[in-house]
Amino acid sequence: MLLQTVTPVSVLGTTVLLALFLSVTAHIAARNVLGDVDPRRALYIGPLPAVISVVGNALELPAGLILLAALLVDGTMFWWSYERSRRAVAAMTLIHAVVTTLLAGVLILISILLASMPG
């Protein structure tokens, strides 16, 4: 059994990569709802939900609580970044959650296939 140690660098790397992933999927969600938008605005959305996820899991909080907090912050960041109506923000947040879940699932399955490749 391989025992992995958690270092500050690994936690920071995980948080940064998750924030970038969430920013990319936030841009996809914003484009889906609003059309052509500035991709730099999506960079404001990813970091806070990423921090909530990493800290919540480090503190071993219930997954439902972490998810609810991340979605609320996600919606707040969409509202702050794009300054749209509640309906548009709700649509962007929902689409962001769906796109993130689907893309993460695809990436996980690809990594499983690559790990099980013979040779």
Side-chain angles (χ1 to χ4, degrees):
M1 181 173 165
L2 180 63
L3 183 62
Q4 298 178 350
T5 58
V6 177
T7 64
V9 173
S10 66
V11 172
L12 180 64
T14 300
T15 306
V16 168
L17 286 175
L18 181 57
L20 287 173
F21 177 72
L22 290 174
S23 294
V24 168
T25 56
H27 178 66
I28 293 169
R31 280 193 61 123
N32 192 313
V33 174
L34 303 175
D36 192 24
V37 292
D38 184 10
R40 291 176 290 187
R41 289 182 179 251
L43 291 174
Y44 299 123
I45 297 168
L48 285 178
V51 169
I52 288 171
S53 175
V54 171
V55 170
N57 281 301
L59 296 175
E60 297 180 358
L61 296 175
L65 181 64
I66 297 169
L67 180 62
L68 179 62
L71 285 173
L72 288 173
V73 169
D74 196 47
T76 302
M77 294 308 295
F78 269 116
W79 175 78
W80 180 76
S81 184
Y82 292 101
E83 299 175 349
R84 300 297 172 146
S85 68
R86 288 183 188 182
R87 186 179 181 130
V89 167
M92 286 187 284
T93 304
L94 177 66
I95 291 170
H96 186 214
V98 170
V99 168
T100 300
T101 303
L102 291 175
L103 190 55
V106 167
L107 292 174
I108 288 169
L109 289 174
I110 287 172
S111 68
I112 290 170
L113 282 173
L114 290 176
S116 65
M117 193 168 55

